Amino acid sequence: MAKQLFIFDLDFTLWDAGGLWCDCTTPPYRRINGFVKDAENRIIQLYPDVWEIIHLLKRHGRKIAVASRTEQPAWARQILDLMDLRQWFDYEEIFPDRKIYHLQNIHRQSGIPFNQMVFFDDEQRNIIDVTTLGVTSEWVQNGITRSLVAKYL
Ligand SMILES: [Mg+2]
């Protein structure tokens, strides 16, 4: 079923921070030859389909949001900026708490009903949580893919 708003987790959904959550990496971050690296040279890398997904959603006039419960929101924002990805999100909720609060904030700001949202996350606890709001969820097992997203267009 088609959805209006597509909400993505960060760690292990949109990116892999060298096998870690981004709050376990070491700032400062920098971009070198197109790669975003932390102070210990770990590469923080988007999964291969991310840019195609962003452009696909924009082409179809859909809204895009990020919902992250990272313990280091400023670090996550800095990484998103370095990737030039942050500007593509219509809504951004990054703070360490249950995802129902991120989605409630997005609902309040956007006016989009929960049943018009689809949420992508690699952690079952978050999937279970937001299901109570009536949000459709997809469990992401090896990073986000175009096919996981395309079925909601
Ligand atoms: Mg995650």
Side-chain angles (χ1 to χ4, degrees):
M1 186 189 142
K3 302 291 181 187
Q4 281 181 51
L5 173 59
F6 292 66
I7 306 169
F8 299 95
D9 167 53
L10 290 176
D11 289 315
F12 299 109
T13 296
L14 290 188
W15 70 41
D16 175 349
L20 301 173
W21 289 295
C22 73
D23 55 20
C24 297
T25 61
T26 309
Y29 306 96
R30 65 227 188 278
R31 184 166 166 152
I32 302 168
N33 297 327
F35 291 101
V36 175
K37 296 183 177 184
D38 79 348
E40 295 177 45
N41 275 323
R42 290 187 192 94
I43 296 175
I44 299 147
Q45 205 160 21
L46 295 173
Y47 289 103
D49 288 2
V50 169
W51 282 112
E52 191 186 344
I53 289 165
I54 298 288
H55 294 133
L56 183 71
L57 292 175
K58 285 294 155 188
R59 239 186 0 260
H60 283 81
R62 303 308 163 85
K63 299 287 188 194
I64 309 174
V66 57
S68 168
R69 55 190 296 174
T70 183
E71 297 286 335
Q72 298 289 350
W75 299 2
R77 286 190 200 99
Q78 198 188 348
I79 295 165
L80 286 170
D81 278 331
L82 284 169
M83 290 173 164
D84 291 324
L85 187 59
R86 195 171 171 203
Q87 58 188 308
W88 292 91
F89 296 118
D90 298 285
Y91 308 99
E92 177 188 288
E93 292 293 329
I94 304 177
F95 54 90
D97 208 332
R98 292 172 61 184
K99 295 254 169 141
I100 51 171
Y101 299 115
H102 301 72
L103 269 59
Q104 281 170 344
N105 288 349
I106 292 167
H107 169 63
R108 223 172 281 129
Q109 291 168 52
S110 66
I112 295 173
F114 289 120
N115 66 8
Q116 281 297 313
M117 300 178 183
V118 56
F119 170 68
F120 301 89
D121 200 294
D122 66 298
E123 290 190 63
Q124 289 281 12
R125 60 173 179 169
N126 297 327
I127 300 281
I128 291 164
D129 235 14
V130 309
T131 300
T132 64
L133 298 172
V135 174
T136 298
S137 297
E138 282 285 337
W139 183 37
V140 176
Q141 295 185 63
N142 293 297
I144 195 71
T145 61
R146 186 191 194 282
S147 61
L148 275 179
V149 171
K151 60 187 189 184
Y152 297 100
L153 284 174

